Amino acid sequence: LIEELANHPTLLNDDKLKNLLAGLPLIPTQDGNWSTAPNTYWRSDKLLAVLGDAKHLWVDELRIPSTRAVTVFLEALGIRTSPIARHLVERIRQIAETSKPTDEARRASGEAFYLLCENYDDWKDTKAFEESVAELKGVLCFPTDGDREEWHAANRLHAPYRAEGFRSQVRVLDFKNTTRLKLELLAKVGVAIEPETRLVVEHLLHCWKQGIDPHTFTYQILNERAQRGDAQIHR
């Protein structure tokens, strides 16, 4: 059927018909099932690194004719070459559901989240992105610094920016590549971007009690808050 359709490329000139075909489960996938073109990918090492070996997402090229006409036809129906938000979110949740937060699991989860961040500006106004990101809220699927046993909900974590200045009082999100993070997305899923002044003060007191030299960031943050007239500093 796919070969016959591909031999009539003019079918794709009709947008209504093209959308109909794109919405049908015409694509054989490597898990033995069928899917729609916009929900499948050509399997590649680059995609494997981000999405894992998700066989339900890979086109089973052994079950379709290996002709240029078929390839062009399927790509015209919307087979993807880069991950969409929903599949990245599914990957993050799947990692947390099937593995402890080992170094490998953290790296894999981080790669998926960084891609969400990198595409935030392009995707932020779409319904599909909003619905996908909503599935991360309150879910135990984020790694925290120092914990190799449990995943955590985003709304219980602080962003890693200048975390050395208050680390003893909070759980810090263990995605350390801050240049790839997006503040807006962190806030959207519930991560605290700035620590409360109280937490920074308590960290300073903790360091004094433990005989530890506080990090420069501790004084830096407190100095900024004092300049803003933060009442907790003056107390």
Side-chain angles (χ1 to χ4, degrees):
L1 174 60
I2 290 175
E3 187 170 36
E4 183 63 28
L5 290 169
N7 287 332
H8 297 82
T10 55
L11 292 172
L12 302 177
N13 295 335
D14 184 327
D15 288 342
K16 183 179 291 187
L17 184 54
K18 180 180 177 179
N19 291 335
L20 175 63
L21 291 170
L24 294 175
L26 294 173
I27 315 301
T29 51
Q30 290 187 3
D31 64 348
N33 291 313
W34 302 84
S35 188
T36 61
N39 280 311
T40 52
Y41 305 80
W42 302 112
R43 189 176 185 271
S44 69
D45 290 342
K46 184 177 180 180
L47 288 172
L48 277 169
V50 178
L51 297 174
D53 196 5
K55 296 185 184 300
H56 66 290
L57 298 179
W58 312 133
V59 178
D60 188 347
E61 298 182 50
L62 298 177
R63 293 163 61 197
I64 58 173
S66 56
T67 67
R68 177 62 180 164
V70 167
T71 298
V72 170
F73 176 77
L74 294 182
E75 289 179 351
L77 290 185
I79 286 184
R80 299 186 179 277
T81 57
S82 59
I84 58 174
R86 178 162 53 84
H87 293 152
L88 292 171
V89 168
E90 286 176 1
R91 174 62 170 159
I92 292 169
R93 295 186 57 158
Q94 178 263 331
I95 291 170
E97 289 168 2
T98 59
S99 171
K100 285 185 176 294
T102 61
D103 290 343
E104 182 179 356
R106 288 163 183 262
R107 282 193 297 271
S109 182
E111 282 304 312
F113 191 77
Y114 290 142
L115 267 184
L116 286 172
C117 291
E118 290 166 11
N119 286 282
Y120 179 81
D121 288 335
D122 293 330
W123 292 347
K124 63 181 179 180
D125 296 325
T126 66
K127 181 180 179 182
F129 182 71
E130 286 290 332
E131 291 177 346
S132 297
V133 169
E135 294 183 14
L136 292 175
K137 294 179 180 179
V139 178
L140 306 180
C141 62
F142 289 94
T144 186
D145 199 21
D147 188 345
R148 292 295 188 272
E149 293 296 322
E150 302 292 339
W151 299 89
H152 299 265
N155 61 2
R156 299 297 179 89
L157 303 179
H158 279 69
Y161 305 102
R162 301 196 295 183
E164 294 86 350
F166 52 92
R167 185 181 300 278
S168 69
Q169 304 302 307
V170 300
R171 293 189 180 278
V172 179
L173 176 66
D174 195 24
F175 291 155
K176 292 186 171 67
N177 193 340
T178 55
T179 60
R180 297 182 68 188
L181 291 174
K182 189 75 172 178
L183 285 174
E184 294 87 345
L185 181 57
L186 290 175
K188 186 177 285 289
V189 299
V191 175
I193 305 302
E194 292 278 352
E196 295 179 28
T197 301
R198 169 184 57 82
L199 296 173
V200 187
V201 172
E202 289 176 359
H203 174 73
L204 179 61
L205 295 174
H206 167 82
C207 291
W208 285 343
K209 290 176 182 177
Q210 297 298 318
I212 303 170
D213 289 334
H215 194 279
T216 303
F217 287 158
T218 305
Y219 297 111
Q220 191 179 82
I221 296 170
L222 291 176
N223 184 54
E224 292 169 358
R225 304 290 172 87
Q227 291 181 13
R228 296 204 301 258
D230 193 310
Q232 293 187 56
I233 297 290
H234 298 294
R235 286 203 301 270

